[in-house]
Amino acid sequence: MKKNKIAGKTMEAWKEEYPLLDKLVSTKEVFWVNPEYESFQTASQQISLNENDVKEAEERLKRFAPYIAKVFPETKEMDGIIESPIVYIPSMRQQLEQVYEQKLPGDFLLKCDSHLPISGSIKARGGIYEVLKHAEELASQHQLLKRGDDYVILDSEKFRSLFSQYSIAVGSTGNLGLSIGIMSAKMGFNVTVHMSADAKQWKKDLLRSKGVTVVEYADDYSKAVEEGRKQAEKDPNCYFIDDENSRDLFLGYAVAASRLKQQLEDLKITIDQDHPLFVYLPCGVGGGPGGVAFGLKLIFRDHVHCFFAEPTHSPCMLIGMMTGLHDKVSVQDFEIDNITAADGLAVGRPSGFVGKVMEPLLSGSYTVSDDKMYRLLRSLADTENIYLEPSALAGMAGPVHLWKSTEGQSYLNHHQLTDKMKKAVHIVWATGGSMVPKEIMEEYYRKGL
Ligand SMILES: *Cc1c(COP(=O)(O)O)cnc(C)c1O
């Protein structure tokens, strides 16, 4: 029998080169330390994006804030800035210590992107940003909008009728579709969301109720994106939001960092040489966690340590980064099925763009079983009364992994962090959940028993 090759090598050869693949292929939980990780000084020279790019995105979101406050009244209190709370989770930390029989020193905080207004997930950052940027470009081309205008004027028939001549398309496992769909429909665009088989019914129903066209596929995320891209190419007035390659999405996510910096200052939390910051980010295709981590590295540099979290059945970014093959391989190539209850993370092929940017910046990555995500979901509800969707719990396993694995210990030793851990700050990035219907959340909660 002829053996199938993966990017020119047999599975055996890959496993020999990267022994961790053995565990990954058998969907066991792993913790991986990134050998390409560099000091920020060195890393920043390899990256084409910088502070100014993020600043520009931040300024654009400020220009749109009066309009957002007007058309989404739930954002009024925040003056149209789409931002989420950050909260201490001391009871959850205790629970983790008990369940995993592991001391976890330092402060634990939860960044509640689950409670971002408009679409209730991290996608309310990048997704909405890219729609706004596109709208601004179109309106400027038609000489209907210029810098200095009060963007509240976008809430009018004149603008809606302009945007109705254009369309927007996107491929999604659900949450990106929600963000792009809701925002685009509000502005007046024709919008089509290409949904993978993982997408939950309630997300499709919600979008249709807002006038969004939802196309469903029996296949996974990569297929939905591919089909979306193909359809969009046929129509010159259609703008395709490319989750696998978009610089704008990435920068929209990166704006989170300066906002977080302010929130930490308000809480009188210092991040410096003696107070390291650890951030755990659930990863699908990579844009969300990559953008946030990039923004954080620009601000906190070597004092922040970013880790990505993926389901054991969809470790696409980990495999892409470890092998250096990025988007040239999928988890399916390695006979991993990409079937997970963490719908937001059900991605088999990572973004090559994000993987390359993150190569010198990411500290490491780990995988979490679906079972564990459900159990953590239930624990967080019981201890802190916060309800998240399964994907959003992937981050919560990070600190335990870091302490319990020999790889995690060696990372701490190597960077002389072990003695500083009492003063460390751990931020678990909660990426979604506030829009999950009650009966579905109850089902999740039951599964966590
Ligand atoms: C999309 C998503 C992520 C990951 O973002 P990517 O850009 O796909 O890496 C994490 N959590 C939730 C809930 C998501 O919807």
Side-chain angles (χ1 to χ4, degrees), residues 120-123 173-176 203 221 243 253 281-290 317 343-345 347 389-392 429-433:
S121 83
I122 189 171
K123 307 299 192 311
T173 62
N175 285 339
L176 185 63
K203 293 182 183 175
Y221 163 88
D243 196 20
Y253 290 119
L281 297 142
C283 179
V285 74
M317 185 60 83
D343 50 320
L345 313 179
V347 177
E389 58 185 277
S391 298
W429 213 277
T431 45

Side-chain angles (χ1 to χ4, degrees), residues 170-185:
V170 67
S172 171
T173 62
N175 285 339
L176 185 63
L178 275 187
S179 292
I180 306 263
I182 294 171
M183 191 68 239
S184 307

Side-chain angles (χ1 to χ4, degrees), residues 27-48:
T27 64
K28 294 209 178 75
E29 291 192 347
V30 303
F31 189 91
W32 173 73
V33 172
N34 176 15
E36 305 294 328
Y37 181 68
E38 296 273 7
S39 71
F40 182 77
Q41 176 73 21
T42 310
S44 58
Q45 287 156 15
Q46 305 171 27
I47 298 165
S48 61

